[in-house]
Amino acid sequence: MVGLGFTALLRLAWLAATVPILVVSLPIRPVGFLHRMITGFAARGKTMIMNSSTQKFTVPQRYFLHFYWWALALTTSLALSTWFYAYRKLVPLASESLSYSTVASHLTGGSHIFSSHKVPSTPMEHKYQVWRTVFVLLLMEVQVFRRLYETLNVFHYSPSARMHFLGYLTGLLFYTGAPLSLGISCASEALSYARDQIAEFIVKGRDRMPDLQIDWLELLKPLLLLGWCQWIGAIIFLWGWLHQLRCHAILGSLRENKGADEYVIPYGDWFRYVSCPHYLAEIIIYFGILVASGGSDITIWLLFMFVVSNLTFAAAETHRWYHHKFENYPKTRRAIIPFVY
């Protein structure tokens, strides 16, 4: 069973990745060396120019493509196996959604949001937990598919654009840990069911297996019957998703000559307020996923904390680069939080 051991390992990994970033963000002298080291590892593209001492162990920035191919494969596998398990074993779902969402029950004291391994108390709650997992994995699927498309068709990486090899490994680990964190609550039973079905197919053969008939209404209906919390999360997700789509289109359009190394100041959409609106949008995207998950799993909270700390740190470095590069850079822009930071 995937259970406590693997879940605890994921949580420890998110903590281990988040804490150093939070520490180096503190304005105290003892963390100066650690700050320079993490800045060097995290540098990529234009910010790599300001960290020339770390350029020995680098890979092309276009290797971002590897993140999204891998994330798409992993998320698709988890989503389909969980969806298949839910469809075959956990339908029909009640016509009415749970009266109170998971988040609401936490706010009223019905359960503990930081419980180490919350087990659904009723079969109906278990059904909703599995279908919620399908829902958030589908949101993640939409996100990584768009990022893959943008890497292939929107961004035109300069031949000289590089990123540190450790940063590359961190990206691969993130896009492994993120889908696993979203699916961990029921991955064990879903994968076990898929394994049993495959074993049965091997033993019996195709002719002795019952025909797989899919009722498309029953396949989609449980997702439509989830609570308001999931749909609010989806709306938040879509809001961030659309703005990130727009901001990435703006960034991609800045380098019409794909071989050029020249940088210009971006304008439009949330660039009016911050230097890194695409990072702000990504934080909103993962906050939407967190809300849609019900907020009951600390693993997803730790995933969100890592996204916030990592992107805030990266935005501060990018903001510093813009001010260093352009004397006429808009002074009213903040790094990532409008009017604040």
Side-chain angles (χ1 to χ4, degrees):
M1 181 176 180
V2 174
L4 284 173
F6 192 70
T7 302
L9 183 62
L10 268 177
R11 293 173 180 175
L12 183 62
W14 289 127
L15 275 174
T18 303
V19 170
I21 299 174
L22 294 176
V23 170
V24 300
S25 299
L26 297 175
I28 53 179
R29 295 178 65 87
V31 300
F33 172 74
L34 185 60
H35 182 280
R36 289 192 297 274
M37 183 178 68
I38 292 182
T39 300
F41 293 159
R44 57 181 179 266
K46 53 183 174 288
T47 58
M48 180 67 75
I49 299 172
M50 298 181 65
N51 297 276
S52 56
S53 61
T54 63
Q55 293 193 28
K56 291 183 180 179
F57 305 101
T58 63
V59 296
Q61 195 178 357
R62 65 176 181 275
Y63 282 12
F64 265 88
L65 186 65
H66 301 168
F67 302 162
Y68 306 126
W69 276 122
W70 168 240
L72 186 65
L74 180 58
T75 306
T76 301
S77 299
L78 287 171
L80 289 181
S81 60
T82 307
W83 205 349
F84 179 66
Y85 166 69
Y87 173 69
R88 295 296 297 273
K89 302 293 288 186
L90 302 175
V91 291
L93 207 58
S95 59
E96 68 280 355
S97 62
L98 289 179
S99 298
Y100 301 98
S101 71
T102 308
V103 167
S105 70
H106 292 317
L107 295 176
T108 56
S111 59
H112 198 295
I113 195 169
F114 295 125
S115 58
S116 61
H117 192 64
K118 183 179 183 294
V119 178
S121 58
T122 67
M124 181 57 68
E125 284 189 9
H126 176 64
K127 285 186 178 183
Y128 275 92
Q129 180 187 61
V130 175
W131 280 104
R132 276 197 302 266
T133 300
V134 174
F135 191 81
V136 296
L137 284 171
L138 289 177
L139 293 181
M140 186 69 181
E141 181 93 354
V142 170
Q143 172 66 0
V144 297
F145 182 82
R146 197 204 78 233
R147 295 302 302 272
L148 175 63
Y149 170 82
E150 289 172 337
T151 305
L152 288 170
N153 298 287
V154 176
F155 292 121
H156 309 303
Y157 294 113
S158 165
S160 62
R162 313 286 294 180
M163 60 179 167
H164 199 281
F165 182 70
L166 289 180
Y168 171 74
L169 290 181
T170 300
L172 288 177
L173 291 174
F174 173 81
Y175 282 105
T176 300
L180 290 177
S181 296
L182 298 177
I184 195 66
S185 62
C186 54
S188 176
E189 54 193 288
L191 294 175
S192 177
Y193 180 76
R195 181 195 62 203
D196 292 344
Q197 292 295 301
I198 293 172
E200 184 180 1
F201 179 84
I202 293 173
V203 172
K204 291 184 177 181
R206 173 67 184 88
D207 295 337
R208 297 174 59 189
M209 289 290 290
D211 292 335
L212 178 61
Q213 297 181 346
I214 297 178
D215 185 329
W216 293 101
L217 179 61
E218 288 299 322
L219 188 66
L220 298 174
K221 186 178 179 181
L223 296 174
L224 302 177
L225 294 177
L226 292 174
W228 60 265
C229 189
Q230 282 66 57
W231 291 106
I232 289 178
I235 291 170
I236 295 171
F237 170 90
L238 183 61
W239 181 46
W241 193 91
L242 290 173
H243 275 286
Q244 190 177 62
L245 176 68
R246 174 58 179 155
C247 292
H248 281 168
I250 292 171
L251 289 173
S253 68
L254 296 181
R255 188 176 287 113
E256 296 180 358
N257 181 356
K258 299 182 181 181
D261 288 326
E262 182 180 355
Y263 291 97
V264 297
I265 300 174
Y267 290 94
D269 202 72
W270 286 351
F271 280 106
R272 177 181 178 183
Y273 306 105
V274 294
S275 295
C276 299
H278 49 312
Y279 292 167
L280 173 61
E282 183 128 347
I283 290 174
I284 293 172
I285 285 168
Y286 280 93
F287 179 68
I289 290 175
L290 172 64
V291 173
S293 75
S296 62
D297 192 340
I298 193 174
T299 310
I300 302 179
W301 279 94
L302 291 172
L303 164 64
F304 177 66
M305 288 172 58
F306 173 79
V307 170
V308 172
S309 59
N310 179 55
L311 294 182
T312 301
F313 179 82
E317 294 301 311
T318 302
H319 188 64
R320 184 167 67 92
W321 180 89
Y322 274 125
H323 279 280
H324 181 268
K325 177 72 174 178
F326 301 105
E327 294 182 358
N328 62 333
Y329 193 72
K331 298 184 183 303
T332 57
R333 283 191 194 179
R334 297 294 185 248
I336 191 169
I337 304 175
F339 314 113
V340 177
Y341 177 77

